[in-house]
Amino acid sequence: TTPLVAGALPYLGHALYFAREVPWVLMLRWHRKFGRTYAFVLFSRLCVSTSSLSALRTILHTEHSKFGKDIPFTYAPFMPILGKGIVTSSGKAWRTKRTRVSKIFRIDLLDKVPDITLRAVDRLFKKVDENAKANLPSDFNALFRQVTLEVISELLLSIDHKETEEYFAKIYLPLMDECNARVWDPSRPYWLFWGGWWTFRSNVGRLDSYVEGIITARLRKRATPEYEDEDGLDSLLSSFGRAGVDIPVKELRDEIKTYILAGHETS
């Protein structure tokens, strides 16, 4: 029997525990008290935490089809970015997209990462040096987020670092900040009279239009016989074939946004 953490309140469950303590520290403490697997309640939802390798192998590999994805709750804050990409897909759709991912992130594409990263880090050092000469502080959190976005954007979409800095980052980074804030405050999506709500909604639309525009422009380029694949987007488009296939632009848009989120946030 899986032990259940005591002290759950009606509807809130153990939410106040998470509000008072760093979540991963709290969950580690519960593991030490209850063992490798235990249950807790969060906003009327029964949640299970496990550190058992055998359980994780069963859930994520051998019997993953039996475990559904909790999209309405767990993924809700990030749905404006994830959309209908691989993370939120399941069954046959997930398997199809998983096959495409394996074709995209092959060694020939990953070989480009060191060179792209070194150039991005050189630009970071120059900014830090310029700030030091001007006796200004350097916000390394912001700088590292910017550099990581530049790397993943160039690798996937061949976006120049200047375009990333001057346009793409100004849409994407505030969007992610609000998504992360919504994780800790589920009421934020309902603040209709707050100006930031409308800014978030606008940024979602701008990001969608921007990525769709890149995909559409790339499809036109690929229509020429002399065109050669150059980045992750090309690899993704190649998985559909070069001709005679209708390309689902909105589906690819969500896929690209998912790859950017995964590459940027994990880095």
Side-chain angles (χ1 to χ4, degrees), residues 138-195:
S138 292
D139 183 348
F140 279 94
N141 177 49
L143 288 172
F144 281 133
R145 292 182 75 202
Q146 176 73 32
V147 163
T148 308
L149 186 61
E150 289 175 7
V151 172
I152 197 72
S153 299
E154 183 173 345
L155 182 70
L156 287 177
L157 302 171
S158 297
I159 299 177
D160 179 81
H161 71 91
K162 291 183 179 179
E163 182 176 348
T164 298
E165 181 176 4
E166 295 171 4
Y167 187 76
F168 187 36
K170 292 179 180 178
I171 303 173
Y172 177 80
L173 294 179
L175 197 56
M176 278 306 306
D177 287 339
E178 177 59 21
C179 287
N180 285 319
R182 291 182 176 193
V183 172
W184 303 110
D185 188 349
S187 69
R188 291 179 73 93
Y190 307 102
W191 295 1
L192 302 183
F193 299 104
W194 171 56

Side-chain angles (χ1 to χ4, degrees), residues 5 17-35 38 40 49 184:
V5 177
Y17 288 83
F18 286 90
R20 291 193 296 259
E21 194 170 343
V22 177
W24 45 90
V25 174
L26 171 66
M27 296 180 74
L28 177 59
R29 183 163 60 80
W30 282 344
H31 271 296
R32 288 171 175 166
K33 182 177 180 179
F34 298 106
Y38 63 86
F40 60 94
S49 179
W184 303 110

Side-chain angles (χ1 to χ4, degrees), residues 77-191:
F78 300 97
M79 288 305 293
I81 294 179
L82 296 174
K84 296 181 179 179
I86 185 172
V87 170
T88 58
S89 299
S90 58
K92 183 178 179 181
W94 179 83
R95 288 192 293 273
T96 299
K97 292 175 183 181
R98 179 66 183 84
T99 300
R100 288 178 188 151
V101 170
S102 65
K103 294 179 180 178
I104 295 169
F105 295 102
R106 295 188 300 185
I107 193 66
D108 53 342
L109 181 65
L110 298 179
D111 274 344
K112 298 179 181 180
V113 173
D115 178 62
I116 295 174
T117 303
L118 284 173
R119 286 188 277 108
V121 171
D122 282 342
R123 293 191 296 269
L124 181 148
F125 285 153
K126 288 179 181 178
K127 289 181 182 178
V128 172
D129 288 342
E130 290 171 0
N131 288 342
K133 289 178 182 178
N135 200 29
L136 296 172
S138 292
D139 183 348
F140 279 94
N141 177 49
L143 288 172
F144 281 133
R145 292 182 75 202
Q146 176 73 32
V147 163
T148 308
L149 186 61
E150 289 175 7
V151 172
I152 197 72
S153 299
E154 183 173 345
L155 182 70
L156 287 177
L157 302 171
S158 297
I159 299 177
D160 179 81
H161 71 91
K162 291 183 179 179
E163 182 176 348
T164 298
E165 181 176 4
E166 295 171 4
Y167 187 76
F168 187 36
K170 292 179 180 178
I171 303 173
Y172 177 80
L173 294 179
L175 197 56
M176 278 306 306
D177 287 339
E178 177 59 21
C179 287
N180 285 319
R182 291 182 176 193
V183 172
W184 303 110
D185 188 349
S187 69
R188 291 179 73 93
Y190 307 102
W191 295 1

